[in-house]
Amino acid sequence: MTPAEASAKSLEICRKAPVIPVLVIDDLAHARPLAEALVKGGLPVLEVTLRTPVALEAIREMAQVEGGIVGAGTLLTPADVKAAKEAGALFGVSPGATDILLDACEAADLPLLPGAATASEAMALLERGYTVQKFFPAEANGGAKALKAIGAPIPQVTFCPTGGVSLKNAPDYLGLANTACVGGSWVAPKDMMIAGDWDGIVALAQEAAQLPR
Ligand code: 3PG
């Protein structure tokens, strides 16, 4: 898969809903009801971070939920790419980008949403052909104001800002010309997962799905 093909696929995925839930799953039993709740609430695209021991198994479970588009986040190495692909991830997300990681995703035909935090990083990815990128960590990097400023000289790149994004500040990003959607963990709070409050998560997803863009 070429970078241009990966970006086309990423854009298609980013346009499905205003928010991509960023999920940290500690208990495999949460995987399926969580995915069902988020999809039911109107957020079909799900990013499962490879940060917990059950993450790959969770991707396998969630990939079976009808209407869901499940990807793997926190891809750092070619081994992560291979494992994510084998688990059924349909896309990948990384906090930054290295040639080794980009090579691995392109070779594995896994569309990657690669992370960039600065104009130089965005330019390096653009040089390689990635026109759709994750702006990370969004809030710590100056938030919507910074992303808007990057968009002035580099309008060719469309972003999914992630990191510190909430229901409150999401509209600031979604109103930018260079933002396709945002990523955030606020729609899947740990305490609600532990309590099995899936209806509560449906409600959070509905609220997020209605964000204007
Ligand atoms: C992450 O890396 O965990 C994501 O960027 C999500 O960040 P958030 O928890 O601030 O939404």
Side-chain angles (χ1 to χ4, degrees):
M1 169 175 280
T2 65
E5 288 165 344
S7 287
K9 191 72 197 166
S10 292
L11 192 60
E12 185 191 318
I13 288 170
C14 286
R15 290 205 168 130
K16 299 257 179 216
V19 180
I20 298 180
V22 178
L23 308 171
V24 180
I25 300 177
D26 292 306
D27 183 344
L28 187 57
H30 295 161
R32 195 177 266 260
L34 175 63
E36 287 169 351
L38 292 167
V39 171
K40 187 176 173 187
L43 301 180
V45 181
L46 311 174
E47 176 191 335
V48 179
T49 59
L50 298 190
R51 292 185 210 168
T52 64
V54 302
L56 290 167
E57 220 23 69
I59 290 173
R60 264 190 203 97
E61 286 272 324
M62 295 166 93
Q64 293 170 42
V65 172
E66 211 183 316
I69 299 163
V70 183
T74 328
L75 294 183
L76 301 178
T77 66
D80 291 339
V81 174
K82 186 166 180 279
K85 183 86 185 176
E86 281 171 6
L90 295 179
F91 66 95
V93 184
S94 57
T98 66
D99 284 332
I100 288 175
L101 183 71
L102 297 172
D103 288 345
C105 286
E106 289 162 19
D109 277 337
L110 186 70
L112 179 71
L113 183 62
T118 64
S120 291
E121 290 171 9
M123 284 169 64
L125 280 167
L126 180 61
E127 256 176 23
R128 186 160 170 153
Y130 287 91
T131 53
V132 183
Q133 305 174 13
K134 157 170 153 165
F135 180 56
F136 177 81
E139 278 295 289
N141 266 324
K145 209 169 153 184
L147 188 52
K148 184 179 181 186
I150 287 175
I154 317 175
Q156 308 91 315
V157 180
T158 298
F159 291 92
C160 168
T162 305
V165 182
S166 64
L167 185 70
K168 193 161 174 274
N169 62 21
D172 299 341
Y173 293 99
L174 292 169
L176 299 178
N178 64 345
T179 296
C181 67
V182 300
S185 62
W186 85 87
V187 288
K190 200 172 179 154
D191 56 341
M192 285 172 83
M193 286 198 262
I194 291 170
D197 184 5
W198 309 118
D199 289 343
I201 290 179
V202 171
L204 288 179
Q206 283 170 336
E207 198 174 37
Q210 281 160 19
L211 282 164
R213 48 172 177 164

